[in-house]
Amino acid sequence: HQMVTQPRLVVYVSTPKLIRSRMIGGTEFRFVRCKQRDLFGIEPHWVTKQETVRVSDLERTGIDGLRHPEYCGGLTEVAKGLWMRRQNLQVDTLLRYAKRLGVGAVLRRLGFLLETYEMANAPNLDRLRSALTATYVRLDPALPAEGRRLHRWRLQLNVDPDELRAVVRT
């Protein structure tokens, strides 16, 4: 979806089956097990004139990145990807997917980034906030649990919001 600025040396594939990692055509594929009900937001992609593969659509790719930023180079890379494709992202679809997935960390991270980058209006942000529980999660789960807490999104800001704003200006 042209959402990366760094080359990805590993391709992650969501599947309800347990499959070992393997090299295919010089690329490492790692298979992440998920529940069948979490396989949505998928579309066919033609790889040859006769063959298709199923891939996540643009919005689902963003949601997956927010769920597991460690598979995408960290939260900053996910944020850059959302910003790079902001003209094509359907905010309503992002919200619907985040709520359907039902992962509080995704709701928090999505709301925070949509607000930070001014990609969503107040009613949409309120829809996300209304689904939050009282617990706090780290903005980037791969980084240490340090930094101030943002009550509005129930996030521990272990990535400086100014840093996130700066990466989209470059």
Side-chain angles (χ1 to χ4, degrees), residues 1-62:
H1 294 296
Q2 300 174 338
M3 296 177 81
V4 295
T5 59
Q6 304 294 320
R8 301 304 321 151
L9 304 175
V10 177
V11 174
Y12 289 91
V13 180
S14 297
T15 176
K17 299 176 182 178
L18 187 59
I19 302 174
R20 290 189 314 181
S21 299
R22 59 180 70 151
M23 293 292 287
I24 302 172
T27 301
E28 182 180 358
F29 285 78
R30 292 187 189 160
F31 299 88
V32 179
R33 194 166 180 197
C34 68
K35 296 176 181 157
Q36 183 70 40
R37 72 170 190 257
D38 291 340
L39 289 175
F40 59 88
I42 297 173
E43 60 189 14
H45 176 75
W46 290 95
V47 291
T48 69
K49 289 184 179 187
Q50 297 84 23
E51 296 175 300
T52 62
V53 293
R54 294 173 39 150
V55 298
S56 58
D57 63 22
L58 185 61
E59 291 78 13
R60 182 56 199 251
T61 300

Side-chain angles (χ1 to χ4, degrees), residues 35-98:
K35 296 176 181 157
Q36 183 70 40
R37 72 170 190 257
D38 291 340
L39 289 175
F40 59 88
I42 297 173
E43 60 189 14
H45 176 75
W46 290 95
V47 291
T48 69
K49 289 184 179 187
Q50 297 84 23
E51 296 175 300
T52 62
V53 293
R54 294 173 39 150
V55 298
S56 58
D57 63 22
L58 185 61
E59 291 78 13
R60 182 56 199 251
T61 300
I63 295 299
D64 286 343
L66 293 170
R67 185 174 190 180
H68 292 288
E70 66 275 17
Y71 297 158
C72 307
L75 185 92
T76 302
E77 285 299 311
V78 176
K80 277 195 266 187
L82 291 173
W83 177 257
M84 288 167 44
R85 296 305 309 268
R86 69 190 178 282
Q87 302 299 331
N88 304 99
L89 282 168
Q90 302 296 317
V91 172
D92 285 339
T93 303
L94 279 169
L95 299 176
R96 191 172 71 250
Y97 285 2

Side-chain angles (χ1 to χ4, degrees), residues 60-163:
R60 182 56 199 251
T61 300
I63 295 299
D64 286 343
L66 293 170
R67 185 174 190 180
H68 292 288
E70 66 275 17
Y71 297 158
C72 307
L75 185 92
T76 302
E77 285 299 311
V78 176
K80 277 195 266 187
L82 291 173
W83 177 257
M84 288 167 44
R85 296 305 309 268
R86 69 190 178 282
Q87 302 299 331
N88 304 99
L89 282 168
Q90 302 296 317
V91 172
D92 285 339
T93 303
L94 279 169
L95 299 176
R96 191 172 71 250
Y97 285 2
K99 284 193 161 194
R100 180 173 173 182
L101 193 60
V103 175
V106 171
L107 296 169
R108 290 164 171 76
R109 293 174 187 140
L110 177 61
F112 175 76
L113 290 176
L114 291 176
E115 182 178 78
T116 299
Y117 295 140
E118 299 177 352
M119 293 171 57
N121 58 31
N124 280 336
L125 296 173
D126 289 342
R127 282 175 44 204
L128 282 176
R129 261 194 300 277
S130 70
L132 300 181
T133 62
T135 59
Y136 281 76
V137 299
R138 287 177 283 168
L139 181 56
D140 190 329
L143 297 178
E146 54 189 32
R148 71 181 178 93
R149 290 180 173 227
L150 180 64
H151 178 74
R152 182 170 61 256
W153 289 109
R154 309 290 197 281
L155 281 170
Q156 183 168 27
L157 299 180
N158 58 353
V159 176
D160 190 327
D162 288 336
E163 180 184 331

